[in-house]
Amino acid sequence: MTDSSVRHSHTLEEIVQYIMQEDEFLITTHINPDGDSLTSILVFASILRQLNKIYTVVLDDPIPVKFQFLPDIEKVLTMEKLGMDKVYKNVVVLDASNLDRIGDTKSYIQENTRVINIDHHPGNTEFGEFFYIDPDQSSTVELVHQLYQIFELPLNLQIAELIYTGIVCDTGCFRYSNTNAQSLEVSAEMVRLGAVPSKIIGQLQNQHSDHTLRALGRAFSRIEFDFNERVVGMSLNQNDLRDYPSTDTEGFVNYLLMIQDTQVQYFVKEVAPNCHRVSFRSRCDVDVNKIASQFKGGGHATAAGCFIEGSLSNVRRQVVEKLTPYFESVL
Ligand SMILES: [Mn+2]
């Protein structure tokens, strides 16, 4: 693995040195948390626990039900529980490409706070006194695993399960293009330590409510193509979500990848009246991170997301317009 795309203010060894000499830390990650972000903060917390440091883990969003099986997840505090008036000298931000992504937990960062930003998003804005960004890592939890190695701390079964879970989530069970030899090697090491793939993947994938499947069916019934079927999208509106309130739409966009010959896939969810969350996937040279960035969102070249205001048809029009330069030749 080359490290040519790594951008950093300090090496991981230097960040480890700094952590060693400090006493107290706040750990957080991005809003709308996913498996990688949650396992990253939990594994990082376990490092600080082994070092006998004082630490707090806080999130500006509830933990999705599907991740409530993660060990120690109950120790992640809401901002309400932590209180708003706290100021921290050290804030560790994991798996977030910019400070807006951590929501209101940003308020714990004050003038004298040192931010440690560890991430794998290529669009990371290099915020913080300490930043280490490696887009070649499949997941941020792989970077936290590297910290474990530098600290020379022992891994136990619980940590192995967390690391395996994080990698599985960000690689889509080793299906996405970010799956590489290193992510498989680290996963194999976690399995050797006792993580059971069928158990973990079963917990992640086979625990959906019937509402989720019914809503997925409705979204499927609205599949729409553009650009000679190179681009495919589907959507759910507020009515659908009222009909099926316990729907978890995470990963819905990935089903569109099953359609042959499509190059860009997107899923639109009306999260509030006239406010839509759009998730993109790409398996061609369209960098969907760049598309999402035009709407102040972000992510990776092959997977990104953003919010777009307007009616559903208007949102679709805006998406198609941004994609037009890439697909003009097939019109
Ligand atoms: Mn990630």
Side-chain angles (χ1 to χ4, degrees):
M1 180 69 42
T2 86
D3 61 355
S4 56
S5 54
V6 175
R7 292 177 286 137
H8 60 76
S9 64
H10 299 74
T11 63
L12 284 180
E13 286 76 10
E14 287 165 343
I15 292 174
V16 160
Q17 283 304 320
Y18 178 74
I19 293 168
M20 295 280 248
Q21 73 198 34
E22 290 296 308
D23 298 320
E24 194 178 0
F25 300 83
L26 183 75
I27 308 169
T28 193
T29 184
H30 60 80
I31 48 174
N32 207 356
D34 56 20
D36 182 32
S37 55
L38 293 173
T39 56
S40 292
I41 57 178
L42 292 171
V43 176
F44 197 97
S46 75
I47 291 177
L48 297 184
R49 183 163 60 239
Q50 292 202 47
L51 295 171
N52 288 319
K53 304 289 184 189
I54 302 164
Y55 64 88
T56 306
V57 190
V58 70
L59 250 188
D60 179 25
D61 247 345
I63 309 288
V65 177
K66 65 186 281 194
F67 292 119
Q68 278 167 11
F69 77 93
L70 294 174
D72 276 346
I73 197 78
E74 69 284 355
K75 292 182 185 153
V76 178
L77 302 182
T78 58
M79 290 184 66
E80 200 178 11
K81 234 183 183 152
L82 178 59
M84 311 288 182
D85 50 350
K86 304 264 196 323
V87 174
Y88 287 85
K89 183 175 170 207
N90 297 297
V91 174
V92 179
V93 178
L94 301 174
D95 200 42
S97 54
N98 61 64
L99 275 180
D100 288 329
R101 291 282 292 138
I102 65 172
D104 289 341
T105 62
K106 206 165 61 170
S107 66
Y108 297 116
I109 299 170
Q110 297 291 336
E111 211 176 320
N112 295 321
T113 304
R114 300 239 173 114
V115 173
I116 302 170
N117 157 18
I118 297 173
D119 188 25
H120 71 135
H121 291 93
N124 189 292
T125 56
E126 304 185 358
F127 60 88
E129 282 62 39
F130 296 85
F131 64 85
Y132 191 91
I133 301 137
D134 185 356
D136 287 333
Q137 303 296 318
S138 74
S139 49
T140 296
V141 81
E142 269 191 63
L143 285 167
V144 184
H145 171 251
Q146 286 178 27
L147 291 177
Y148 243 99
Q149 292 176 313
I150 297 166
F151 277 112
E152 296 182 7
L153 290 168
L155 288 164
N156 59 30
L157 172 60
Q158 187 172 311
I159 304 305
E161 287 182 332
L162 285 169
I163 293 171
Y164 184 85
T165 302
I167 295 173
V168 159
C169 288
D170 257 24
T171 60
C173 291
F174 310 108
R175 284 177 298 151
Y176 303 152
S177 59
N178 60 353
T179 307
N180 56 33
Q182 186 196 290
S183 49
L184 290 165
E185 276 158 11
V186 174
S187 301
E189 192 192 329
M190 300 308 119
V191 172
R192 241 174 251 122
L193 286 165
V196 179
S198 59
K199 183 189 114 187
I200 292 172
I201 294 170
Q203 274 165 325
L204 290 167
Q205 299 204 325
N206 303 334
Q207 301 289 337
H208 291 295
S209 68
D210 66 310
H211 280 195
T212 295
L213 279 262
R214 289 177 203 279
L216 184 60
R218 204 173 275 184
F220 278 159
S221 72
R222 300 213 186 100
I223 282 178
E224 286 182 279
F225 292 97
D226 284 288
F227 304 111
N228 207 10
E229 312 207 341
R230 303 291 207 288
V231 175
V232 61
M234 64 181 184
S235 60
L236 285 177
N237 60 35
Q238 288 263 285
N239 266 338
D240 302 324
L241 298 166
R242 255 192 302 275
D243 289 345
Y244 304 124
S246 50
T247 297
D248 172 11
T249 58
E250 204 206 302
F252 270 26
V253 66
N254 296 320
Y255 289 97
L256 296 172
L257 289 161
M258 293 165 74
I259 303 174
Q260 60 184 358
D261 298 331
T262 57
Q263 294 179 341
V264 171
Q265 299 78 19
Y266 66 92
F267 168 62
V268 183
K269 175 183 176 180
E270 191 180 16
V271 290
N274 280 321
C275 176
H276 295 83
R277 158 100 198 160
V278 187
S279 309
F280 293 98
R281 295 290 182 270
S282 167
R283 54 178 162 212
C284 62
D285 54 7
V286 177
D287 180 342
V288 287
N289 180 33
K290 285 190 184 143
I291 305 281
S293 302
Q294 294 181 56
F295 299 103
K296 297 200 167 81
H300 306 273
T302 56
C306 61
F307 289 93
I308 307 179
E309 304 281 339
S311 67
L312 178 60
S313 57
N314 181 269
V315 168
R316 254 182 52 74
R317 207 173 312 124
Q318 292 188 59
V319 167
V320 167
E321 191 185 293
K322 298 291 186 221
L323 288 168
T324 300
Y326 299 93
F327 292 100
E328 253 164 351
S329 59
V330 298
L331 276 174

